[in-house]
Every structure is written in structure tokens, then in C-alpha cells.
Amino acid sequence: MLKLLRQESFLLLAVIAAVVAYPLEHWILHNGQPVALIAGLVLIAFIVAASMRVAHHAELLAEKVGDPYGTMILTLSAVLVEVVILAIMMSNEASKTLVRDTIYSAVMLDINGILGLAALMGGIKHGEQSYNDDSARSYSVMILTAMGVSMVVPEFIPEASWKVYSAFTIGAMMVLYTLFLRMQVGPHSYFFSYSYPQKRRKKVPDEQPEPVNVALSVGMLVFGVVVIGALAEVMSKTLDLGLEGTGAPPVITAILVAAISAAPEILTALRAALANRMQSVVNIAMGASLSTVILTVPVMEAMALYTGQPFQMAMTPVQTVMVLLTLLVSAINLNDGETNAIEGMTHFVLFATFIMLSLLGL
């Protein structure tokens, strides 16, 4: 038991933070904006700590089942964290553009941030890094289709028809994900895997793989998501109050939500890139982007239909241009089965551009 508590110290701290935050919520919200902002940022730190443990157990399960199932578990756990936080924040009357901005930020962070940084660092260390280009093409075309249907076309839908199109979007995303899931774990699973040369799998003598308790990992993963939800309930209120009237761009909140869910993925992708396993990086970065769009959209659209209050899902012109640039660059870079530092830098420059545009409020 003591060993388990030591291993889950981050999650334990998050539980303690939730237990302390709820009784103090009223006091925090009535002691000024600076106190609320500090409390919101502290709670974000605890949410990230809990999400790291969720990702750790997802990673253990992923190693147990192997690719492509493993990568699917990793990306789904990250999307689950994101959906829980978004649903709670939207229930607290957040901005109608929060869902759109979070999905957009997540795609920028996953493809340009995670993939760009991993390819840059891995390229500097290993030169060209190989992967299965079938996976990159499949991910890219599905991300483009999903974002086009759910976040570009809505700009042209009359307000009176939003419910009909919202229901259509839910169905379209479910069909896309069902087909993708069948491809990923069915006859076309080889699209998302890569056979690394044996020489790159050096084993340390007497190294024993960490035993995986499946029931424990599943239980801790679910418990971690519950804790994150509890912390998000207080965090959303304190952060809204803390940022109110500061002049901070509205997209900042969306970037924070996207970063919370992506934080564990960043570490996993960088470790994979430095270990010369670029296929894992492609699966994590592109898979997380696709899962964010194709799973978050139907959940949030269903929530909008239930409440009768539509969200603003259509991207702004600047966001649309950035997404098209990102997917165009990724289609060119991820077309030959090898990445290098130059390709990583192009994505990372696009990520820096995204951050600059966000700070400018665009």
C-alpha cells in the first residue's frame, strides 16, 4: 500500500487539492481577482499532475496490448480528459467559442507543437527517422475532412437550421470514427505500425519489463479522470474570474485546456522521438488531433442540442488559414516515410506563429 501511495503521489496531491478547494471555493471567489487567478493557476497545476498519472496508466495499458491498440488508448485517455474539462467549463456558462478554440488549439499543439518538436529533436539526434507513411496520409485526410465538416461548413449554415446540421455532424463524426477504429484495429492495422530494425531494439541485460496490473491501471485511470473533473469544476470558476477584465485574449483559456490534456503526450512523444521510434510520435500527434476533433465535436454538439444553446463552431478566417497551412505542410512532410530536423522546424515555426496570433487576439 505504501509503495502504491508513493507511486501515485501526484494523484494523491490532486485528491487533497480537490478536498481543500471545494470548501474554499466561496472564499476564493469573494477575495478578489488576484486570489482567484492564483487559485485557478494552482488548480491547473494539480490537474496536469493528475493527467500525468492518467497518461502513465494509459501508457502501461498501451505497452501491454502493443500498437496500434496502445496508441489508441493513449489518445483516447487524453481526449477523455479534454472532454471532461470542456463539458464542465461549458456547463458554467463559458464562452460559446471555447469548444471551437480548444479543438483548434489542440490541433495546433498536437501537430505543430508535439510533432514539430519531436521531429526536430529526434532529427538532430538521429538524422532521418522512418515511419509508415500510410498512417500519416490516413490521419491527414481524416483530420481535414472532420474539421471541414464540423468547423468550416457551419459558417454557411443558416441559424434556423443549426439543430439539423448539428445532428448531422454528430452522425458524420460517429461514422468516420467507426470506420477509422475498424481500420486501426482491423484488417488495415498495419497502416499504423512500423517494423523497426532489430538493431534499434537493444535490450539491457537482466532488464525486466514493469509488470502491468490491468485492473489497477484501469481503475486508477478512471479515478484520475474523476479527480480531474472535480478540480475542473472549481478551476473553471476561479479562472474565469481571475482573467475577467485583464485584456487576456479569450483563446488563452482554450490553449490552457488543450495544454492540460496534451502535457503527458508531449513527454511520451519526445521520449519516442529520442528513442528513434517516429511511428509512435506520428500516431500520438496525428491520432490525438483526429481524436480531439472526431470525438469532442459530437459530445459537445450533443450537449448543445440538449441545452438548446448552440456553440460557435465555425473557425475564424485566421484559424482556417492556420489549419489549412498546418495540414498542407504535414501532407508534404509526412509523404515519404521519413522525418528530419528541417521538417520538424517547419511545424515548430507554425506553432510559434499560432502562439503569436493568439497573443494578438487573432
Side-chain angles (χ1 to χ4, degrees):
M1 178 60 74
L2 288 177
K3 181 181 178 181
L4 178 62
L5 290 176
R6 282 196 299 269
Q7 290 175 340
E8 303 299 334
S9 56
F10 279 9
L11 187 56
L12 181 61
L13 288 173
V15 172
I16 294 172
V19 171
V20 172
Y22 269 88
L24 292 179
E25 180 182 340
H26 183 79
W27 179 86
I28 293 171
L29 295 176
H30 289 80
N31 271 271
Q33 197 170 12
V35 173
L37 182 58
I38 292 172
L41 295 176
V42 170
L43 288 173
I44 286 175
F46 283 113
I47 291 173
V48 171
S51 69
M52 296 290 284
R53 295 310 301 170
V54 169
H56 172 73
H57 287 288
E59 199 169 342
L60 290 179
L61 293 171
E63 291 176 359
K64 180 76 173 178
V65 300
D67 277 333
Y69 299 92
T71 302
M72 183 177 67
I73 293 173
L74 287 172
T75 55
L76 287 178
S77 66
V79 172
L80 180 60
V81 169
E82 186 173 88
V83 168
V84 167
I85 296 174
L86 266 180
I88 290 173
M89 294 186 74
M90 293 307 297
S91 67
N92 290 327
E93 300 183 1
S95 166
K96 288 187 176 181
T97 63
L98 179 62
V99 175
R100 177 199 71 188
D101 291 343
T102 300
I103 294 173
Y104 164 69
S105 300
V107 171
M108 293 294 104
L109 184 58
D110 289 331
I111 299 180
N112 291 328
I114 296 178
L115 179 60
L117 183 60
L120 175 61
M121 295 183 64
I124 291 173
K125 181 176 181 181
H126 298 287
E128 293 182 328
Q129 296 182 281
S130 300
Y131 62 92
N132 186 342
D133 56 351
D134 284 331
S135 60
R137 285 195 294 267
S138 300
Y139 281 128
S140 296
V141 71
M142 292 197 72
I143 293 170
L144 181 60
T145 301
M147 294 197 77
V149 168
S150 63
M151 300 179 70
V152 176
V153 174
E155 178 67 28
F156 308 100
I157 302 300
E159 188 175 345
S161 304
W162 79 267
K163 289 186 177 180
V164 175
Y165 191 76
S166 183
F168 166 78
T169 303
I170 293 173
M173 295 302 105
M174 291 178 66
V175 169
L176 274 175
Y177 189 68
T178 300
L179 177 60
F180 172 73
L181 200 61
R182 177 174 172 78
M183 287 183 62
Q184 193 175 32
V185 302
H188 295 84
S189 61
Y190 63 88
F191 276 20
F192 307 94
S193 60
Y194 182 80
S195 298
Y196 296 96
Q198 196 66 29
K199 64 179 181 180
R200 297 183 183 176
R201 292 183 172 181
K202 296 179 180 179
K203 293 185 178 180
V204 178
D206 301 325
E207 181 184 24
Q208 297 295 325
E210 182 180 352
V212 179
N213 186 326
V214 174
L216 176 64
S217 290
V218 171
M220 296 306 294
L221 192 153
V222 173
F223 180 68
V225 171
V226 172
V227 173
I228 289 170
L231 288 169
E233 176 69 29
V234 182
M235 180 272 292
S236 64
K237 298 176 183 177
T238 57
L239 197 61
D240 284 345
L241 177 60
L243 293 175
E244 186 178 335
T246 62
V251 76
I252 292 298
T253 303
I255 293 175
L256 288 173
V257 175
I260 288 170
S261 62
E265 293 174 339
I266 296 172
L267 297 178
T268 303
L270 289 180
R271 285 199 297 266
L274 294 175
N276 207 9
R277 300 183 67 82
M278 185 50 62
Q279 183 63 51
S280 296
V281 177
V282 171
N283 285 350
I284 290 170
M286 302 296 284
S289 296
L290 177 61
S291 298
T292 295
V293 181
I294 216 167
L295 294 179
T296 304
V297 167
V299 172
M300 294 297 109
E301 291 285 9
M303 183 176 174
L305 288 173
Y306 177 77
T307 60
Q309 297 296 323
F311 302 138
Q312 177 62 40
M313 292 301 295
M315 292 187 292
T316 66
V318 171
Q319 290 175 337
T320 302
V321 169
M322 284 299 296
V323 168
L324 290 177
L325 270 176
T326 295
L327 293 177
L328 176 61
V329 170
S330 66
I332 295 172
N333 285 343
L334 301 178
N335 192 46
D336 58 356
E338 291 181 330
T339 63
N340 55 57
I342 295 176
E343 294 176 351
M345 180 57 76
T346 59
H347 279 292
F348 203 65
V349 167
L350 284 175
F351 178 69
T353 304
F354 155 69
I355 295 297
M356 176 55 69
L357 291 173
S358 299
L359 293 177
L360 293 175
L362 298 175

